[in-house]
Amino acid sequence: MPRRRPVFARVYHRMAPSMDEQGAAEHRRRLLAGLTGDVVEVGAGAGANFGHYPDGVGTVLALEPEPYLRARAAERAAGVRADVRVVDATAERIPVADASVDVVVASLVLCSVADQAVALREMSRVLRAGGRLRFYEHVAATAGRLRTVQRLADATVWPFFLGGCHTGRDTLGAIRAAGFVVDDADRFDFPAGVASPAAPHVLGSATRP
């Protein structure tokens, strides 16, 4: 998949403050609450999570392949308390050793990776036994008209205009298929009350046995 998405990257970056005001900032806070140890964050975007990492976190290796977003993430990393290093890498090829980190964070990225199964195997590879995967993703609707709309969107223009995003992926199923044990998963629509193929979200945690 292309690493450069200059139009999408700039639009997404400009939309982020509005999304945070609508509730995304609180979702990010919940996603990262209580974390400790060394972290890999895949698909860090412009670094919207960086300011929410708690004091118990050691280091954060943030992966972002899109050049514009990576530059914005590096700027943000310089202004937060957490020890964040931003690198050019993808979820499918995480540049760390086996069983070397305590937490992997996946935030609004598993919708757009080229291959969920490969990305999740990489996340499992780098996690220590008992390590945690924290995830915040938009996912497939459970049934009904919205599920049909998602299939249509994913098969036509949505991925092209939205940075490779696919609205109808069964991300929870993929996490379980990769060998993770899902400990909790909160489903909700975001933004609330907005009819969108990308409205169904899930936020939760899984463990690498």
Side-chain angles (χ1 to χ4, degrees):
M1 296 181 70
R3 297 164 73 90
R4 292 181 178 273
R5 300 180 181 274
V7 175
F8 167 76
R10 285 160 173 79
V11 172
Y12 184 78
H13 181 50
R14 291 183 180 182
M15 288 174 55
S18 175
M19 293 171 62
D20 282 350
E21 290 174 4
Q22 294 177 69
E26 174 61 18
H27 300 158
R28 298 179 192 281
R29 186 197 64 76
R30 289 174 56 202
L31 174 72
L32 305 177
L35 290 188
T36 59
D38 296 325
V39 178
V40 166
E41 180 177 339
V42 298
N49 287 332
F50 295 170
H52 298 283
Y53 279 103
D55 291 340
V57 167
T59 62
V60 179
L61 181 67
L63 318 184
E64 178 49 56
E66 207 292 319
Y68 177 84
L69 293 176
R70 187 169 62 253
R72 305 291 79 72
E75 292 170 357
R76 184 166 293 189
V80 300
R81 290 184 300 173
D83 180 7
V84 180
R85 181 164 65 96
V86 181
V87 300
D88 178 7
T90 67
E92 292 91 345
R93 296 189 68 178
I94 300 174
V96 302
D98 295 357
S100 61
V101 299
D102 302 293
V103 183
V104 172
V105 172
S107 176
L108 302 177
V109 64
L110 289 172
C111 62
S112 60
V113 295
D115 189 318
Q116 277 193 331
V118 171
L120 286 162
R121 283 199 300 269
E122 271 290 272
M123 296 177 202
S124 178
R125 177 187 69 78
V126 304
L127 279 169
R128 299 184 175 102
R132 309 297 294 275
L133 169 64
R134 293 285 185 93
F135 53 89
Y136 166 40
E137 301 286 342
H138 62 80
V139 293
T142 54
R145 179 181 295 180
L146 181 56
R147 187 74 186 96
T148 302
V149 171
Q150 287 180 326
R151 291 191 182 102
L152 179 62
D154 289 351
T156 54
V157 298
W158 192 277
F160 179 79
F161 287 108
L162 276 297
C165 168
H166 294 76
T167 64
R169 288 183 171 178
D170 178 14
T171 298
L172 272 181
I175 290 170
R176 292 188 175 101
F180 288 95
V181 176
V182 175
D183 303 304
D184 59 87
D186 178 22
R187 289 182 176 270
F188 54 92
D189 286 346
F190 176 75
V194 176
S196 165
H201 280 62
V202 64
L203 190 156
S205 178
T207 301
R208 180 190 184 276

